[in-house]
Amino acid sequence: MWNLLAADAPAAPLIVPDSIQKAKFAEAVNRLVNLDFSEILRNLLSESLWVVIKIVIALIVYYIGRWVLRRLIRLVDVAMERRNVDQSLRVFTRSSVRAIFTLLLILIVVSTLGVNVTSLIAVASAATLAIGMALSGTAQNFAGGVMILLMKPYRVGDYISAQGQSGTVREIKLFSTVITTTDNQTIYIPNNSIATAIIDNYSTAELRRVDWTVGISYGDDVDTARRTILGMLEGDPRILPDPAPVVWVAALADSSVNLTIRVWTRNEDYWNVFFEYNERYYKELPKAGINFPFPQMDVHVKND
């Protein structure tokens, strides 16, 4: 019974004698007094110097890597140019090579600094998986860029209209297509959306047809208007004689007789021909007695 009570009783607090405490304090003071500060300073300077050396080596590796990367991209450009690779594929390949080798250069620099690259790659892989799931649209844009390069609905330098935007394709990047509009605006269209959209490519054909609709007044001579218009078109070397220009009566509208004019020209001359002849029709048709009508309304007043 006494043993059980003794076992259940709380242990008495351990009280260190004052003599032991004084001895430990004296030992600590002795160690502090005998501490070799010069050795500590030497070790600190040695470690600091080693860290500085590693940083310098990492910077040297980085700048050498950048120089090698520029040379590599230049060699890739020369090789693709000799093989007459499409300009769109050149831009895409250049961007891919730059991105891949820049990542490798960063890993080499980090490894030079003494960081465990294996652990870093594992962490980066997990982060990439999480980011990839969150940014699935970015992966779709990359896939769209690959599809554009394979299917080639347009190339660098083509004038296209897609996703409500029109302009000249300047660059096909990893995730977007860059176009420049006629008023020099830069538009970035995601590759995923443009790869699945309806694309009007105005640069694939060498020739284009120019159409105008000109309304003349009722009572004007249609044959005179046709001869005048064809006379203007015949002297222009930009307008092809075959297929020959035509002028037809397209519609008898409410206030005018609408003539449709169709000519064929080279692709690069399309807009100049279109705008110049809009002005010429306006100036020269009235000289031949052809009038341009405007909407009119007859009001009859009846007195009761």
Side-chain angles (χ1 to χ4, degrees):
M1 175 64 72
W2 175 254
N3 291 335
L4 293 175
L5 292 175
D8 294 337
L14 180 61
I15 300 175
V16 180
D18 187 52
S19 58
I20 298 178
Q21 293 182 10
K22 289 181 180 181
K24 289 185 176 181
F25 179 75
E27 183 181 357
V29 171
N30 187 40
R31 289 180 180 178
L32 184 62
V33 170
N34 295 327
L35 194 62
D36 191 354
F37 288 99
S38 60
E39 182 68 21
I40 294 176
L41 183 59
R42 282 196 299 270
N43 292 335
L44 182 61
L45 289 176
S46 177
E47 292 294 331
S48 301
L49 182 60
W50 177 239
V51 171
V52 171
I53 291 174
K54 288 198 295 185
I55 292 175
V56 171
I57 294 175
L59 289 175
I60 294 174
V61 171
Y62 172 73
Y63 284 107
I64 292 176
R66 284 187 57 185
W67 180 82
V68 172
L69 179 58
R70 286 196 296 266
R71 296 285 297 177
L72 178 62
I73 293 175
R74 191 175 303 170
L75 290 175
V76 171
D77 282 338
V78 171
M80 291 190 294
E81 185 176 357
R82 288 179 179 176
R83 295 178 178 273
N84 295 322
V85 178
D86 181 68
Q87 181 65 25
S88 305
L89 185 57
R90 292 185 198 177
V91 175
F92 190 86
T93 304
R94 188 186 305 115
S95 300
S96 301
V97 170
R98 181 180 290 109
I100 293 172
F101 281 92
T102 299
L103 179 61
L104 291 177
L105 178 59
I106 292 174
L107 291 177
I108 293 173
V109 171
V110 171
S111 176
T112 305
L113 291 174
V115 179
N116 189 350
V117 180
T118 304
S119 301
L120 186 62
I121 292 176
V123 173
S125 301
T128 302
L129 179 61
I131 294 174
M133 295 178 64
L135 301 177
S136 58
T138 302
Q140 293 175 359
N141 287 330
F142 178 80
V146 174
M147 290 300 298
I148 290 171
L149 291 174
L150 292 177
M151 304 302 295
K152 296 181 180 179
Y154 57 83
R155 304 182 182 188
V156 172
D158 288 354
Y159 186 88
I160 66 171
S161 177
Q163 295 296 96
Q165 304 293 337
S166 299
T168 302
V169 178
R170 193 176 71 187
E171 189 175 0
I172 302 175
K173 293 188 172 183
L174 292 176
F175 306 111
S176 63
T177 295
V178 184
I179 67 173
T180 302
T181 62
T182 53
D183 57 349
N184 206 29
Q185 296 184 31
T186 301
I187 307 295
Y188 295 84
I189 304 177
N191 284 335
N192 179 47
S193 60
I194 197 172
T196 57
I198 297 175
I199 302 172
D200 292 333
N201 192 334
Y202 300 98
S203 301
T204 53
E206 183 180 355
L207 304 179
R208 286 188 66 183
R209 192 183 73 188
V210 190
D211 293 0
W212 297 275
T213 298
V214 177
I216 65 175
S217 299
Y218 277 98
D220 288 347
D221 190 351
V222 173
D223 293 330
T224 300
R226 180 180 290 111
R227 285 194 301 270
T228 303
I229 293 171
L230 291 177
M232 285 189 283
L233 299 173
E234 286 175 0
D236 196 328
R238 297 171 299 179
I239 296 176
L240 302 180
D242 185 23
V246 294
V247 180
W248 292 326
V249 176
L252 303 178
D254 293 338
S255 303
S256 64
V257 177
N258 292 336
L259 303 181
T260 292
I261 308 162
R262 293 179 176 175
V263 303
W264 287 87
T265 185
R266 288 182 296 274
N267 205 324
E268 60 269 20
D269 294 329
Y270 177 88
W271 290 111
N272 289 334
V273 170
F274 178 78
F275 288 118
E276 287 179 17
Y277 275 88
N278 276 334
E279 184 174 350
R280 289 193 65 182
Y281 296 146
Y282 179 74
K283 290 181 177 179
E284 298 185 22
L285 284 178
K287 297 178 182 178
I290 305 300
N291 300 306
F292 300 110
F294 49 87
Q296 300 181 13
M297 179 181 296
D298 293 333
V299 178
H300 299 275
V301 179
K302 182 178 180 180
N303 295 324
D304 293 336

